[in-house]
Structure formats: structure tokens, C-alpha cells
Amino acid sequence: MMNNLTAQMRMRLRVLCSCMALILVGYAGVTHLMVQHAFSRDRRDQERKLSAQRQDATPHGSEYIAQHLSEQILFFNRVPKTGSEMLVLLLQWLQGENTFRHIRLRNTVNRFLSFDEQLELAADIGQKLHDTTEHLVSFDRHVYFTNFTNLGLKMPIYLNIIRDPLEKMESRFYYARVTPRPGLNTPPGYRRSKPPKYATLEECILDHGSECAFITGHHYDLSIPYFCGHHEYCRELNNEAALRTAKLHVEEWYPVVGVLEDINATLTVLEHKLPRFFRGVTDLYYNDLLAPHHNKNRYRPRTSKYVEDLLRRNLTDEYDFYNFVRQRLNLQYRQVNGT
């Protein structure tokens, strides 16, 4: 009898060991499949990014652009601190006269979007288009250039305006120090943040402050990413590929990129190149409201020539891009005037 019990115990032990082995094999198999799926997903994401990067950096012919462009949609992906609010105001005033609708998309501090966030942006635009009855629609938002063809959609007519990089940086530096802004309500429970370390841009740069140090290869929210796109390299300071891609996108998708320092040329070219949206903009600007007023803090401290020259050397590609856009705009202006 004792032998029978021992045999039964051995049999149960073998069965238990076999079951545990099967469980372990199954677990290993599931783990292997999960790892394979993760690697496959990462590989697909990487391939998609590389494909999008190649697509963005590849010149397209006029036939391709015509096939992939929606001429009923204008997208103003605004560069901050360039006078863009003025241009939005003009669009809002012109929408009734020119029979289109201007829609302000929700702004966030995030202008660099993941692929899923780009899909959300496209879905938001699609919903707004579905809800409106107007044939022509314009949108604005602070966001980097988005290639909607990579999302399976047509491209809008892109629009933007830029500014001298040094002026833009100074404006942004001092704007960040005006909090809360005069004339606006202060929300309940608001606590004024700790005063910034530097009161002037001059002090910040000479002391190598982190908020005004521009180091080649580091990521910054400057003008080029708004024309280059959502690739990591687009935010790298003085990245030659980012500069080339930004210029390519300007030539292909932006009929007009304005320059704040050349506002007369900007408005004239806008009215000529995009009349369905900007017909009458020059008269509106000069006769009715805005002409003498640039959104500029006249009381901000002056920056020395030494510091200005230092910044210009650090912002080499930003100035290259600025000069490229300005030359293009002035050429368009001369063509409009027949000179």
C-alpha cells in the first residue's frame, strides 16, 4: 500500500511539474509575442517618422502641389511675437466683407506635436469645417508646420509672418516679464511667480543666463521650426537640414510669408496673392485703424551693439532664414508693382 501511495505522489508531482512547465512555456511565448509587438510598433513608428522626414525634405513639382492643395482653407500657423495678432485681427475684420469664416483653434504651450497630436489637430480642423457653412475658411494657431499629406489629407494654403530674430527675442524676453498684464482680470487664488533673475536682456546674456543662451545643437522655439515641422532636428539651433527644409516648405506651401519690418510689402503682396481672403486689407490697415501702431514696447531697455552682434552670431541660421524670406517678399512686392 505504501508503494502505491508513493507511486501516486510521484505521478502527481510529474503532472504538476508538466503543468508548471507548460505555464512557463506559455508565459515565455506570450512575453516573446509582446516584445515582438513592441519592437514591431517601435519599428513602424520609426519607419513612419523617417518616411515623413524624407517626404518633408523632398522637393515637389507644381503638379504634385496642385493635387495635394485645398484652396478653400487658409492656415496661419503663427510664429509668436511677430505681430501675428495684428494679422489675425485683420482676418477677423475681413471675413464678413470677403465672405469667409475665420476660426481660432485652441492654443497650447505645445507647438511641437507627436504623430497622434497631429492627428488630433487634423480632426479638430475637420470638425470645424464640418460645422461651418462657409465655403472659405481660415484658421490660426501657434503650431509648427504640419504636413497633412502625411496624415492622408490635403494641404491648406499656409500663411505666416516673421520678424528680425533679435527684435523677436527682445520682445519675447520682456513680454515674459509683464505678468499679470495690465487691464486683465487676475484669477482667484493667483500668486505672483518669483521675480525673474534678470531684469534686462543685456544682464542675462552677459551673465550667460540659461533663458537667453543660444547653443548650437540645442532645442529652441524659434522661427525655423514653424516652417520646418515636427521632426526633432527642426528645433535644433543652426541645423542645416532644418534650414533647408524650412526654405523648401516656404517655396512650396506658403504663397506669402510676411515680414513685420516690411508691413507695407506684406499687406500688398497678401492682397495680390490671396485676394479671396485679403481683398481690401491695405485700405483697412492704413485708413481705418492700425497703420501707426506696431505692438512694440517702446520703453524696453536698449541692448548694446556688442550684445546684439553676439546674438546675431549665435542665431546664424535664423538670420539666414529671415533674410531669405525678406528677399522673397521684396521680390514679390516689386513684381506686384511692376518694378
Side-chain angles (χ1 to χ4, degrees):
M1 184 174 178
M2 195 69 181
N3 290 336
N4 288 338
L5 288 174
T6 302
Q8 289 177 0
M9 290 178 64
R10 286 175 178 171
M11 180 63 69
R12 288 176 181 175
L13 185 60
R14 288 195 190 99
V15 170
L16 179 61
C17 289
S18 298
C19 290
M20 290 182 65
L22 287 172
I23 290 171
L24 288 172
V25 168
Y27 176 77
V30 170
T31 303
H32 177 70
L33 287 174
M34 291 176 65
V35 170
Q36 268 194 327
H37 176 72
F39 275 124
S40 177
R41 183 188 59 208
D42 290 344
R43 186 167 58 251
R44 287 196 303 271
D45 288 346
Q46 186 64 26
E47 288 173 353
R48 189 193 67 242
K49 289 178 181 177
L50 290 173
S51 175
Q53 184 172 323
R54 287 193 296 269
Q55 173 80 2
D56 280 354
T58 302
H60 301 108
S62 57
E63 184 177 344
Y64 175 93
I65 294 171
Q67 290 175 350
H68 291 81
L69 182 66
S70 175
E71 296 186 349
Q72 286 72 45
I73 305 172
L74 180 73
F75 191 15
F76 183 16
N77 66 315
R78 304 187 292 130
V79 179
K81 306 312 296 174
T82 60
S84 64
E85 282 290 348
M86 170 198 67
L87 210 51
V88 169
L89 187 59
L90 289 168
L91 281 167
Q92 289 174 324
W93 285 338
L94 289 166
Q95 61 182 329
E97 184 70 23
N98 292 338
T99 321
F100 68 92
R101 184 183 175 196
H102 182 72
I103 298 174
R104 306 211 68 178
L105 296 172
R106 180 176 57 88
N107 263 320
T108 70
V109 294
N110 188 18
R111 290 86 192 264
F112 173 79
L113 305 182
S114 67
F115 183 76
D116 288 342
E117 289 170 330
Q118 293 174 56
L119 288 173
E120 290 174 7
L121 171 64
D124 189 20
I125 292 174
Q127 185 61 50
K128 298 290 193 301
L129 290 171
H130 179 268
D131 294 342
T132 187
T133 58
E134 296 292 349
H135 180 62
L136 294 176
V137 184
S138 62
F139 297 93
D140 80 88
R141 177 181 164 177
H142 290 310
V143 65
Y144 295 163
F145 174 85
T146 304
N147 191 332
F148 291 95
T149 61
N150 292 334
L151 310 177
L153 303 171
K154 284 196 170 186
M155 294 287 281
I157 300 170
Y158 265 103
L159 166 69
N160 221 319
I161 185 170
I162 63 172
R163 184 180 190 176
D164 181 286
L166 179 56
E167 285 285 327
K168 176 176 174 288
M169 183 190 169
E170 289 181 338
S171 177
R172 203 167 192 175
F173 180 88
Y174 291 110
Y175 178 82
R177 279 148 178 75
V178 186
T179 306
R181 295 169 61 189
L184 295 184
N185 293 328
T186 302
Y190 173 83
R191 288 188 177 183
R192 183 184 290 271
S193 58
K194 184 179 178 181
K197 181 177 180 180
Y198 303 104
T200 70
L201 182 61
E202 185 98 5
E203 294 173 344
C204 184
I205 291 171
L206 293 178
D207 198 40
H208 306 290
S210 59
E211 67 175 305
C212 47
F214 291 95
I215 303 170
T216 294
H218 287 213
H219 287 181
Y220 298 98
D221 181 44
L222 299 174
S223 293
I224 287 176
Y226 288 85
F227 300 87
C228 177
H230 301 287
H231 310 297
E232 288 289 341
Y233 73 88
C234 288
R235 293 180 293 163
E236 290 182 9
L237 183 63
N238 296 328
N239 183 298
E240 288 300 314
L243 176 62
R244 287 194 303 271
T245 303
K247 288 180 177 180
L248 176 64
H249 288 164
V250 167
E251 294 285 13
E252 292 187 338
W253 303 113
Y254 290 81
V256 184
V257 177
V259 176
L260 184 60
E261 288 78 16
D262 295 327
I263 193 63
N264 180 55
T266 296
L267 297 177
T268 301
V269 174
L270 279 172
E271 189 161 8
H272 180 78
K273 292 277 189 180
L274 300 171
R276 291 186 298 172
F277 294 96
F278 286 100
R279 185 177 64 251
V281 69
T282 307
D283 288 341
L284 176 62
Y285 180 81
Y286 284 104
N287 297 335
D288 293 346
L289 194 66
L290 299 173
H293 308 292
H294 284 306
N295 184 18
K296 184 175 181 178
N297 182 355
R298 299 178 184 277
Y299 303 103
R300 71 189 187 201
R302 292 179 63 86
T303 306
S304 69
K305 186 177 184 304
Y306 170 78
V307 168
E308 289 183 354
D309 290 343
L310 181 63
L311 280 171
R312 287 191 177 93
R313 287 196 297 273
N314 290 341
L315 300 172
T316 303
D317 281 3
E318 283 289 314
Y319 267 102
D320 186 315
F321 182 71
Y322 172 76
N323 291 328
F324 162 78
V325 169
R326 196 171 191 183
Q327 290 169 7
R328 178 179 186 253
L329 177 68
N330 287 326
L331 176 60
Q332 291 173 322
Y333 182 59
R334 291 195 300 271
Q335 290 172 342
V336 170
N337 289 332
T339 58

